[in-house]
Amino acid sequence: MPAPRRLLAIALAAPLLLASCTTDSNESDGNGGGSESGGGGDGDLSFSVITHGSAGDAFWDVVQNGAEAAGEDLGIDVDYQSDGDPQRQAQLIDAAVNQGVDGIVVSMANPDAIQESVEAAVAAGIPVVTINSGGERSAEFGAIGHVGQDEAIAGEGAGRELAEDGARSVLC
């Protein structure tokens, strides 16, 4: 598949994945682990979504549901895998590279532990988009973009909103 088509597909898939994550969905199987050909059809494209989530984590269940829904909506194959162990996450990235996927979406809770694997994916010509964490190092590793927000900026914004609403003592 030509590189421009792959880049276009991943550029379209990443925001759709996150948009899908914000919808109300209670269809999670709760396994938090991998899914065989989790979403998508028999399209020409295949994507791996590899996160640092743990089994049963409600946040990552929503991300998995969103990734799989995006795959079905776009008619592409999506394989969602997650592992809280950074070395295992790196192995999942390496496996996706070996499978020759068309794109990888990855969370980077421990950027140093997965740096080599992300850089190997980029070197193999596989577009990488980072999500949720690691945004400050995403470009350094060769990712084409990051979907997420800076926690300090988000916290300051929430603090301003709470102060405007009269909150004096807040525990997060």
Side-chain angles (χ1 to χ4, degrees):
M1 167 173 297
R5 184 168 173 222
R6 288 188 346 185
L7 289 174
L8 177 61
I10 200 166
L12 292 173
L16 181 56
L17 180 149
L18 266 261
S20 297
C21 290
T22 62
T23 62
D24 184 23
S25 175
N26 294 320
E27 297 177 15
S28 170
D29 62 7
N31 71 5
S35 64
E36 300 291 324
S37 185
D42 298 318
D44 292 339
L45 298 174
S46 63
F47 289 84
S48 286
V49 179
I50 302 165
T51 70
H52 65 276
S54 299
D57 183 316
F59 174 81
W60 291 110
D61 288 347
V62 173
V63 172
Q64 179 177 359
N65 289 339
E68 292 172 354
E72 292 202 18
D73 289 348
L74 294 170
I76 60 175
D77 291 321
V78 173
D79 181 37
Y80 180 93
Q81 300 285 324
S82 64
D83 201 302
D85 178 282
Q87 277 66 42
R88 179 71 183 123
Q89 190 183 14
Q91 292 170 350
L92 292 171
I93 296 167
D94 295 341
V97 171
N98 291 336
Q99 292 168 4
V101 297
D102 295 298
I104 297 175
V105 177
V106 63
S107 63
M108 297 197 320
N110 187 334
D112 292 332
I114 65 170
Q115 180 174 2
E116 286 183 28
S117 296
V118 171
E119 289 174 342
V122 171
I126 299 172
V128 174
V129 171
T130 60
I131 61 169
N132 179 259
S133 55
E136 66 282 348
R137 303 211 32 217
S138 179
E140 171 188 337
F141 292 4
I144 63 171
H146 177 78
V147 179
Q149 69 183 41
D150 180 275
E151 293 172 353
I153 294 171
E156 290 170 4
R160 279 192 299 277
E161 291 291 322
L162 289 167
E164 288 175 12
D165 287 345
R168 298 278 182 233
S169 180
V170 178
L171 176 64
C172 294

